[in-house]
């Protein structure tokens, strides 16, 4: 599945964290006929989300975005780990053909079970397709052309800390009103 590079993706962690235990829990829920998505809807791994937010904020506050948002967010994931992506494990978790543009992070995770395999979930619909509604520490990915973005292809990726988005600088998308529920800015 290829996402149109012109669309918000909001990722939040499952509460199962980054350990291997989540795989057996996933298998048990699915084997019993349960739905992992509904089982985990309201339970995010706030410790990982808080950790990545703290690192991203300390590395971004008071700075202007520099055009290297994806590199910065990958560094934050490497520094803290995130869901099923271990510390220093970004390169092993996300294939290199998805490293060029920010939107490709969402493109990869929105394909098949890639997000679930990394203990991540796209929650954009549960936050009304609005990055300003994302929980603190969620990873937000928006398409090129989203208010506040400059690159005509890359889109943007940042760590949510509403009303701020951290990605090597203090990013903003012009406020919540730019994101009606039917917008196509959010990739995940």
């Amino acid at each position: 599945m290829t996402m149109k590079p012109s669309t918000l993706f909001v990722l939040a962690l499952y509460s199962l964290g980054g350990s291997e235990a989540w795989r057996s829990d996933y298998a048990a829920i699915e084997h019993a006929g349960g739905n992992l998505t509904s089982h985990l809807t309201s339970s995010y791994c706030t410790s990982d989300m808080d950790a990545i937010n703290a690192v991203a904020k300390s590395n971004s506050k008071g700075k202007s975005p520099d055009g290297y948002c994806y590199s910065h967010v990958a560094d934050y994931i490497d520094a803290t780990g995130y869901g099923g992506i271990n510390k220093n494990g970004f390169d092993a978790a996300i294939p290199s053909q998805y490293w060029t543009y920010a939107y490709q992070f969402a493109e990869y995770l929105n394909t098949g079970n890639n997000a679930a395999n990394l203990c991540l979930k796209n929650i954009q619909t549960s936050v009304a397709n609005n990055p300003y509604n994302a929980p603190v520490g969620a990873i937000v990915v928006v398409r090129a052309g989203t208010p506040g973005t400059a690159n005509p292809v890359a889109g943007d990726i940042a760590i949510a800390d509403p009303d701020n988005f951290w990605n090597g600088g203090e990013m903003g998308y012009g406020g919540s009103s730019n994101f009606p529920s039917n917008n196509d800015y959010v990739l995940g």
Side-chain angles (χ1 to χ4, degrees), residues 31-184:
H31 179 72
N35 181 316
L36 181 66
T37 301
S38 63
H39 177 74
L40 298 170
T41 298
S42 64
S43 53
Y44 304 122
C45 183
T46 57
S47 62
D48 281 2
M49 294 169 76
D50 289 345
I52 200 167
N53 186 61
V55 168
K57 183 176 183 176
S58 71
N59 284 283
S60 304
K61 191 169 178 82
K63 298 178 184 176
S64 295
D66 61 6
Y68 295 98
C69 60
Y70 197 5
S71 177
H72 293 298
V73 171
D75 289 347
Y76 307 151
I77 293 169
D78 274 342
T80 65
Y82 197 80
I85 304 174
N86 295 323
K87 287 183 181 181
N88 298 310
F90 182 89
D91 290 358
I94 307 299
S96 60
Q97 64 264 36
Y98 294 94
W99 294 352
T100 305
Y101 298 114
Y103 79 84
Q104 291 177 306
F105 184 73
E107 181 176 66
Y108 175 73
L109 292 172
N110 281 336
T111 302
N113 291 323
N114 291 343
N117 291 341
L118 293 173
C119 206
L120 301 171
K121 179 181 176 187
N122 183 337
I123 62 164
Q124 76 184 81
T125 57
S126 69
V127 296
N129 217 26
N130 188 326
Y132 289 89
N133 296 337
V136 171
I139 298 173
V140 171
V141 184
V142 298
R143 71 168 172 87
T146 299
T149 64
N151 187 296
V153 177
D156 191 64
I157 185 169
I159 306 302
D161 187 6
D163 293 307
N164 295 295
F165 298 90
W166 312 117
N167 63 8
E170 293 184 39
M171 185 63 189
Y173 305 113
S176 185
S177 64
N178 281 332
F179 295 90
S181 62
N182 64 344
N183 82 79
D184 70 347

